[in-house]
Structure formats: structure tokens, C-alpha cells
Amino acid sequence: MTIDNTEGARAQIGVTGLAVMGSNIARNFARHGHTVALHNRSIAKTDALIEEHGSEGDFVRTETIEEFVAALQKPRRVLIMVKAGDPTDAVIEELASAMEPGDIIIDGGNALYTDTIRREASLRDRGLHFVGAGISGGEEGALNGPSIMPGGPKESYQALGPLLESIAAQVDGTPCCTHIGPDGSGHFVKMVHNGIEYADMQLIGEAYNLFRDALGYDADQVADVFTEWNAGDLESYLVEITAEVLRQKDAKTGKALVDVIVDAAEQKGTGRWTVKSALDLGVPVTGIAEAVFARALSGAREQRKAAVGLASGQLADKPADAAQFTEDIRQALYASKVVAYAQGFDQIAAGSAEYDWNLHPADLATIWRGGCIIRARFLNRIKDAYDENPKLPSLILAPYFRDAIETAIDSWRRVVSTATLLGIPVPAFASSLSYYDALRAERLPAALTQGQRDFFGAHTYERVDAEGKFHTLWSGDRSEVQA
Ligand code: NBP
């Protein structure tokens, strides 16, 4: 371990921002044999890292940005892990002033992709490479192998790729890191990844709620179901940790911890960003949107308190066959997950087309198989589906998923209808099923919408039997004219 930089530029990578994520990634680089220059706005975090973990590898301690930059081999590679937003802009500016053309600045924070597009353009004008890298896996992933989604100029990946791939999670010998595409694409796909994570968590939450309120299971019983599911097609990090959270006991009361946690979910914003972007792109990500709204509703604590006791109407009896209902919930969860992922991948395709990014869905499924929060056996199926047909109109149409939904459909309908009859909210299960039914419908009520729009706003409509746009003279003789 070396903790000064008197030997000059010898670090392969620098990490600035040494809170939980930055320090764990710095340690991950060092554990993989890279010399890591360390920097943090306040020196205390740098010293704490060296004191506690300095023996894990070769670190270079620096106090100022100038010292930090001077410690790096060329082309210099600096990973920024500070709070997203203004702090990131401040650090980029400080670094850019001290760096030289050809050097690479990587933002590994959760930046909004449009900020990354702006930053990349501005640094490109100054001859610097800017890489917006989505990093998923939380603090544990950062230390032991995250999923990394670097965007930015392709040539920067030559100098950066091997370093990032060495610290990423590996699945079947393949690193969970690949060059995603230009400018903001890395942060864009990380944002959608987080949106899918919201949907996945909401669906799991709805399944848990059904076990608790429809079958009367306690937390341990639900944990057992999730543990069993984790041995099958639903195997995933989120299902695994669900069982762990449900089994946790509260030391103070002896109750299940989940029963003493306030039921108001918080959010940091990436789910909301995903939905906003989807609205702009015109992509129906109903599963993600329901998840974001469900968190918002859970957080409306005063309103909820005031509404407790409102009429439920006549409720049905609880399901008589618990084993059948458990299997129904498993099928509904799987089918709704397919929908949530299909919608997320649709958004990625739309973003790719909008920004001319040429994104490859199979690559994303590959690097999400390990390291990240949505890692799951399921991702192998998605990779196979896109490998087979990169231009799939929807994931739902891939033969494997089409068959899986066909198997699940009766269960899915039973779960949504039973939940409704029992007065148990299942917004994501229900909206996923409605999305599926709308997608497969031969006729949608949108024809009526078009008629209404033409009536009040002369917005015109297309006909099923002729080319062109048409308008009915609603306030005249109601004959039709070609627009
Ligand atoms: P935080 O997001 O809590 O940021 C703390 C770091 O930002 C500290 O090093 C702090 O320096 C630095 N900082 C701030 Br605040 N303002 C600064 C400024 N104006 N100039 C320079 N440095 C400044 O840390 P984190 O939770 O480790 O996350 C880092 C990034 O990674 C974030 O963008 C986050 O969204 C992203 N991320 C987090 C997770 C996760 O699971 N936590 C997962 C994936 C991505 P100081 O020590 O001097 O105050």
C-alpha cells in the first residue's frame, strides 16, 4: 500500500467522491490490482478509506484536484461518484480545468440522461471524453461486482472498457459491462433499469399483500413461498431478498420486522424520471407508472388515514384452495413481470430511435444478468429472445414469453378478479393484464376517441377502408370530406 503520490503519475484510475458507492468502487478497483488515486471534497473520507481498507490494494492519497490529476497515468481516467445534479457539474468543471484533451471523465452517479447529453457535448468541445456510466448493484455490488452501463464516445471504451469490465460482475465468464452507445445512453438505460426495478418490487409487493390479506399468511409463511419460488423461473435477487426481509424479526418487539415498518414507500426519483421520459417518448410503461404511483399513494399518509373505513361493498369469500391460489399468484407475477420488462425494453427502443443511439437490447439483457438489482434467471430468456430476433416488436411476442403467458393467463385473470372481489389493491397486476389485453385486441375504443376529437376539434381520422385523413362536417350536414 502506498499513500502518497510522490512517485508521479502511476494510478490507472482515479475516484473522486468517496461516500459509500465511491469508496466501495475504489476498493473494487484496488482489489483487482489497479492503482487507484483517491479524492474527496473533504479529506476525512479519503483518510477513513485508507485507514480502514488501505491494505486491500494500492491507493494514492490526494488532497487537491491538481494533486489528484497529477497522480494519473495518461489518458487520465477519473470516476466521479458524487451526489447527482449540481455537485456533479461542480466536480466536472474543476476536473475539466485540470485535465488535458484525450482524458476521460466518467460520471458513475445516477445522473439524468439529458444532463449527461449536455455534459458530453460540452466536454467534447473541450477535447475531453465524457462517459456517463450507469452503475447498479447498490453498495454491495459496487464492492463485489456491479452491472456497469457506460455510454459516451466509443473510442473512450478502448481505454476504459478493460478496467470497468475487470470490476464488474461476471456471469458465465461474461462481464456485466459493455459499451452502451453515445452520450446519455448509459444513464438512459440505467434509468429504465431502475424503472423496471420499481415495477418488479411493486409486483412482488402485490403478491405479498395477497398472501397476507387473501390467504391470511404471516410473514414467515410468505417468506417460505418466496424461497420456493426462488428455486424456479422467478429466481432473482429481488425475490431472494424478499424472503430475507420477510424472515427478519424485530429485536424490540419480537414481531416480523415488516410488520413494524411504516407502510409508506419513499423514492429517490429514477422511477419518476423513467415515467416522465416514457410520456415524452409516447411509450406506455404502465407497470412502472403504477409502481411509482403506488409509492406516492402509500406516502399520502394523512389522506389514507382519513379514508380508512370507506365502503368496501360486498366482498367475496377468501380463496378456498390456498395451493391453487399460490400457484395463480406465481403465474400472475411472472406474466406481469414479462409485461413490465417488455414495456421497459420498448422504452429503450424508443429512446434509441429518438437519440439515434443504436442500442442493442440483447447486450442490455446480458449485462443485467448479474451485479444489478434486477438480476434474474429471467434475463437469460430475454437475451435469448433478442439474440434470436433483435427486431422483436415486443418481448411478449417472443415464442418463449408468448408460451409463458399462455400458460399463465387463466391464473393471471383469476388473481386480478379475486383481488378485486376481495377489495385488495393490485394496480400493477391489473394494469399489466389490461395492457396485455389491449395489445392483443383487434379493435380498441380509440376509434371512438378519434371520432370525438374530430367532433370537437376537427382533428381528422383515418378510415379502415381508404388512405388519407378524413373529417366529418359535424356542425354542418355531417357529410365526410377528405382532409
Ligand atoms: P452521495 O450521493 O450521498 O454523495 C456524497 C458524496 O458527494 C460525498 O463524497 C460528498 O463529498 C460529495 N459531494 C457533495 Br454531496 N457535494 C459536492 C460538491 N459540491 N463537490 C464535491 N463533492 C461533493 O453518495 P453515494 O450514496 O455514495 O452515491 C454516489 C453516486 O452514486 C450518486 O450519484 C448516487 O445517486 C449514485 N448511486 C448510488 C447508489 C446507492 O445504492 N447508494 C447506487 C447507484 C448509484 P463530502 O464527503 O465532502 O461531503
Side-chain angles (χ1 to χ4, degrees):
M1 176 193 66
T2 307
I3 58 163
D4 65 55
N5 64 344
T6 50
E7 294 160 62
R10 57 184 197 80
Q12 279 101 43
I13 181 99
V15 180
T16 181
L18 300 174
V20 58
M21 288 295 287
S23 52
N24 279 2
I25 287 194
R27 290 168 61 196
N28 190 347
F29 277 121
R31 288 173 175 191
H32 282 88
H34 307 296
T35 300
V36 188
L38 300 174
H39 177 267
N40 194 66
R41 177 176 62 174
S42 49
I43 191 70
K45 282 199 178 68
T46 313
D47 286 339
L49 170 53
I50 288 171
E51 164 132 11
E52 286 163 37
H53 306 288
S55 61
E56 290 177 9
D58 192 11
F59 296 106
V60 182
R61 175 188 185 275
T62 73
E63 290 193 26
T64 65
I65 282 283
E66 292 69 27
E67 250 186 289
F68 180 55
V69 168
L72 295 163
Q73 289 176 359
K74 292 184 188 177
R76 300 181 182 90
R77 289 160 291 206
V78 170
L79 174 62
I80 302 176
M81 290 305 297
V82 304
K83 208 173 170 63
D86 292 342
T88 303
D89 275 316
V91 174
I92 290 173
E93 188 44 48
E94 226 186 322
L95 279 170
S97 308
M99 292 171 90
E100 291 173 358
D103 289 347
I104 305 168
I105 297 178
I106 310 126
D107 174 16
N110 268 337
L112 182 59
Y113 72 97
T114 45
D115 284 343
T116 305
I117 292 175
R118 166 179 61 78
R119 289 166 182 153
E120 197 276 332
S122 145
L123 289 181
R124 191 173 351 117
D125 287 346
R126 295 163 76 170
L128 292 162
H129 294 296
F130 184 68
V131 172
I135 300 181
S136 177
E139 45 184 295
E140 192 269 332
L143 183 62
N144 297 317
S147 176
I148 312 179
M149 298 149 246
K154 180 110 189 153
E155 53 280 28
S156 64
Y157 197 75
Q158 279 159 11
L160 196 57
L163 266 175
L164 296 181
E165 289 180 12
S166 73
I167 65 154
Q170 313 280 322
V171 175
D172 303 335
T174 305
C176 295
C177 173
T178 190
H179 181 248
I180 301 295
D183 54 72
S185 59
H187 277 136
F188 180 84
V189 300
K190 169 64 172 31
M191 175 191 76
V192 177
H193 161 286
N194 283 26
I196 293 173
E197 176 186 312
Y198 272 60
D200 214 338
M201 291 170 70
Q202 173 65 22
L203 291 167
I204 289 172
E206 290 178 17
Y208 154 68
N209 210 25
L210 286 168
F211 285 118
R212 197 192 55 197
D213 291 355
L215 293 180
Y217 283 13
D218 65 22
D220 279 332
Q221 286 173 295
V222 190
D224 289 344
V225 175
F226 277 98
T227 299
E228 198 184 312
W229 286 356
N230 201 40
D233 279 344
L234 283 168
E235 180 193 327
S236 61
Y237 173 71
L238 283 171
V239 167
E240 182 191 329
I241 67 163
T242 298
E244 290 208 28
V245 172
L246 288 169
R247 267 203 196 94
Q248 183 69 27
K249 295 283 173 281
D250 173 43
K252 198 166 145 197
T253 59
K255 293 181 180 169
L257 178 67
V258 71
D259 291 333
V260 298
I261 295 178
V262 171
D263 61 344
E266 297 181 2
Q267 46 188 318
K268 279 194 167 172
T270 44
R272 193 164 49 228
W273 286 350
T274 312
V275 177
K276 281 185 180 175
S277 149
L279 290 173
D280 288 339
L281 292 166
V283 183
V285 292
T286 56
I288 301 170
E290 289 296 353
V292 173
F293 289 141
R295 288 199 195 187
L297 194 153
S298 76
R301 291 160 74 169
E302 285 307 309
Q303 209 177 24
R304 286 177 54 203
K305 213 157 99 189
V308 167
L310 288 183
S312 67
Q314 181 71 45
L315 298 178
D317 292 335
K318 308 235 149 135
D321 186 341
Q324 176 63 52
F325 197 55
T326 300
E327 175 58 11
D328 285 348
I329 298 172
R330 188 183 74 84
Q331 295 284 1
L333 178 56
Y334 194 83
S336 303
K337 262 185 82 148
V338 174
V339 167
Y341 279 72
Q343 294 176 339
F345 275 91
D346 283 351
Q347 183 170 359
I348 285 167
S352 181
E354 172 77 15
Y355 295 103
D356 214 5
W357 281 332
N358 193 24
L359 303 181
H360 300 288
D363 289 354
L364 300 179
T366 303
I367 65 165
W368 289 347
R369 291 182 308 165
C372 64
I373 305 294
I374 64 171
R375 62 183 180 262
R377 180 192 288 202
F378 190 70
L379 265 310
N380 279 310
R381 305 289 189 189
I382 298 180
K383 176 187 174 325
D384 293 346
Y386 280 114
D387 275 342
E388 208 169 285
N389 180 5
K391 301 242 174 291
L392 258 180
S394 165
L395 201 55
I396 289 170
L397 294 166
Y400 178 84
F401 292 117
R402 197 187 174 121
D403 288 352
I405 292 181
E406 199 175 318
T407 305
I409 187 72
D410 293 340
S411 290
W412 201 5
R413 291 197 193 288
R414 273 196 297 272
V415 166
V416 171
S417 55
T418 305
T420 306
L421 293 171
L422 288 169
I424 299 172
V426 283
F429 279 155
S431 85
S432 307
L433 179 56
S434 279
Y435 172 88
Y436 175 74
D437 280 333
L439 197 64
R440 62 178 198 85
E442 276 181 38
R443 288 283 287 166
L444 288 171
L448 175 60
T449 308
Q450 285 296 83
Q452 292 164 326
R453 293 178 71 247
D454 191 56
F455 187 102
F456 64 67
H459 293 303
T460 75
Y461 49 84
E462 290 177 283
R463 293 184 57 98
V464 295
D465 55 2
E467 291 291 311
K469 299 268 190 187
F470 298 87
H471 170 57
T472 290
L473 301 170
W474 295 102
S475 46
D477 64 0
R478 301 211 166 178
S479 60
E480 185 180 73
V481 292
Q482 189 142 14

